[in-house]
């Protein structure tokens, strides 16, 4: 009889506030799972790293891990880096690890975002939503499918709540960037602009979004700029994590991969199609927080050549269910 445990794989941040918010969310998920062991770890920039969390689960007698990404969309970290760490660990320790799907576009997350927007608007002078513009700001990645999901989230929030218009921007990597999208939005004639970060936790990128909002607001005093909160450990976010964990046992692990650059030949990303599933995070693993700001001392080699590529019908190296790798 297998002993099941849960592993929540966070992105990681050099910002101690972001680490603490992630840990608070993990505690909320742990409270929902009774006696089931729940561990966590970070892919990069912070400790404990993912392997540390897996070590704790194994030490408690767990031999079947339900791992979920603590990230909103399936970009490179979810499609490559986290599965690479999990697959390598499973091979090294002969333990079953099944990987769940990303949080994705979920009605509960949209409700949580709406709640954050309404919280930001509470107590302010009433401005009709049709005279208010919503600017949704995503993280930005090199994966066009993940970036496209930010556009879909923005449209669903904007149209669902009745905003007069919706603009989309990114904190980095992708365009338009925050200042560019807000400058454009300021020229559209709306009385109020609500800036809503589609992020889980705080950190340098959230501060960058808010700082650039303040800068554009100072240049346009005729417009009211409102900074909405990020998702954080809203109860509906916790519920989404709980559902992703349950989904692993139910076989609900398929990500939206119709336009995944690792599976299909996407314009401008043709070389990525069929690429080996290997991690690219090792140089920043375990650094950024804690008493020691240096590379993790554990030797970690690439899993390239292990036979696990970006094909959904290919089994995992340990013979268990395929990971949701893109």
């Amino acid at each position: 009889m297998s002993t099941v445990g849960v592993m929540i794989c966070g992105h990681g941040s050099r910002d101690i506030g972001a680490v603490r918010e992630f840990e608070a969310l993990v505690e909320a998920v742990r409270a929902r799972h009774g006696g089931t062991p729940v561990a966590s770890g970070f892919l990069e920039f912070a400790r404990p790293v993912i392997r540390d969390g897996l070590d704790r689960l194994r030490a408690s007698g767990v031999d079947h891990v339900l791992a979920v990404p603590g990230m909103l969309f399936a970009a490179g970290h979810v499609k490559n880096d986290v599965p690479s760490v999990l697959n390598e660990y499973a091979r090294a320790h002969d333990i079953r690890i099944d990987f769940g799907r990303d949080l994705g576009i979920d009605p509960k997350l949209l409700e949580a975002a709406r709640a954050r927007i309404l919280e930001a608007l509470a107590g302010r002078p009433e401005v009709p939503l049709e005279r208010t513009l919503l600017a949704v700001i995503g993280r930005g990645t090199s994966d066009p499918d993940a970036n496209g999901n930010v556009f879909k989230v923005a449209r669903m929030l904007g149209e669902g709540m009745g905003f007069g218009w919706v603009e989309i921007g990114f904190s980095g990597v992708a365009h338009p960037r925050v200042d560019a999208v807000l400058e454009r939005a300021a020229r559209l004639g709306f009385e109020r602009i609500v800036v809503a970060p589609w992020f889980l936790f705080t950190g340098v990128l959230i501060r960058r979004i808010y700082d650039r909002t303040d800068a554009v607001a100072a240049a346009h005093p005729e417009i009211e700029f409102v900074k909405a909160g990020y998702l954080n450990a809203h109860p509906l976010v916790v519920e989404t994590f709980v559902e992703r964990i349950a989904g692993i046992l139910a076989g609900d692990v398929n990500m939206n991969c119709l336009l995944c650059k690792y599976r299909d030949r996407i314009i401008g990303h043709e070389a990525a199609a069929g690429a080996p599933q290997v991690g690219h995070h090792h140089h920043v693993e375990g650094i950024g927080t804690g008493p020691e700001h240096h590379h993790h001392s554990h030797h970690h080699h690439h899993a390239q050549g292990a036979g696990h590529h970006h094909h959904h019908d290919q089994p995992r190296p340990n013979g268990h269910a395929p990971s949701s790798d893109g």
Side-chain angles (χ1 to χ4, degrees):
M1 184 89 177
S2 294
T3 301
V4 174
V6 172
M7 179 69 202
I8 302 177
C9 306
H11 179 279
S13 172
R14 292 185 176 92
D15 187 290
I16 191 63
V19 172
R20 288 173 177 164
E21 288 180 356
F22 175 79
E23 290 171 345
L25 185 142
V26 171
E27 284 300 319
V29 173
R30 183 176 286 118
R32 294 287 305 273
H33 280 83
T36 301
V38 177
S40 63
F42 298 103
L43 179 67
E44 58 188 19
F45 297 131
R47 297 185 181 179
V49 297
I50 292 172
R51 288 189 308 278
D52 295 334
L54 293 170
D55 284 343
R56 287 197 296 274
L57 289 177
R58 225 167 29 94
S60 68
V62 168
D63 56 8
H64 181 192
V65 178
L66 310 180
V68 292
M71 305 169 199
L72 287 168
F73 292 135
H77 287 323
V78 175
K79 294 174 179 178
N80 280 324
D81 299 321
V82 174
S84 176
V85 173
L86 297 178
N87 287 345
E88 182 175 342
Y89 191 94
R91 287 193 300 270
H93 298 282
D94 192 26
I95 185 174
R96 175 172 180 171
I97 303 177
D98 293 329
F99 191 38
R101 62 188 177 95
D102 59 319
L103 297 176
I105 303 174
D106 189 285
K108 290 178 292 302
L109 297 183
L110 292 170
E111 286 287 352
R114 177 168 70 171
R116 298 301 188 207
I117 292 168
L118 293 178
E119 288 169 4
L121 292 174
R124 293 178 176 272
E126 183 174 352
V127 174
L129 285 179
E130 60 266 24
R131 297 208 295 271
T132 302
L133 181 146
L134 176 66
V136 175
I137 309 298
R139 181 182 183 87
T141 80
S142 60
D143 189 313
D145 189 33
N147 292 334
N149 283 337
V150 180
F151 280 75
K152 186 169 184 179
V153 162
R155 295 301 308 187
M156 294 182 78
L157 278 173
E159 294 181 23
M161 295 184 69
F163 283 95
W165 189 247
V166 180
E167 289 285 339
I168 298 91
F170 299 95
S171 64
V173 184
H175 291 278
R177 301 291 172 81
V178 179
D179 46 0
V181 75
L182 293 184
E183 283 289 354
R184 181 173 68 194
R187 296 195 293 269
L188 297 180
F190 287 89
E191 296 179 32
R192 173 182 283 168
I193 295 175
V194 177
V195 180
W198 188 255
F199 280 67
L200 279 175
F201 307 115
T202 190
V204 63
L205 298 182
I206 289 292
R207 289 192 293 275
R208 182 184 302 166
I209 292 167
Y210 290 159
D211 287 348
R212 291 183 178 176
T213 299
D214 289 341
V216 176
H220 297 276
E222 74 281 6
I223 304 172
E224 181 188 12
F225 284 77
V226 177
K227 294 176 286 190
Y230 46 92
L231 295 171
N232 206 347
H234 189 282
L236 291 172
V237 175
V238 175
E239 186 64 31
T240 306
F241 271 93
V242 171
E243 287 194 1
R244 294 297 176 271
I245 294 164
I248 300 173
L249 293 175
D252 178 18
V253 296
N254 292 330
M255 298 185 190
N256 177 17
C257 302
L258 294 178
L259 295 174
C260 173
K261 68 177 183 178
Y262 298 109
R263 177 172 177 168
D264 297 312
R265 291 177 61 81
I266 302 300
I267 295 173
H269 300 270
E270 291 86 352
Q277 186 179 58
V278 296
H280 305 93
H281 65 284
H282 313 300
H283 63 293
V284 289
E285 185 180 29
I287 68 171
T289 60
E292 298 177 356
H293 291 231
H294 55 69
H295 291 198
H296 196 279
S297 60
H298 183 94
H299 178 67
H300 188 74
H301 61 275
H302 286 282
Q304 188 169 4
H308 191 72
H309 296 261
H310 293 276
H311 303 295
H312 289 210
D313 57 352
Q314 182 169 343
R316 288 173 51 101
N318 59 8
H320 300 304
S323 67
S324 302
D325 60 1

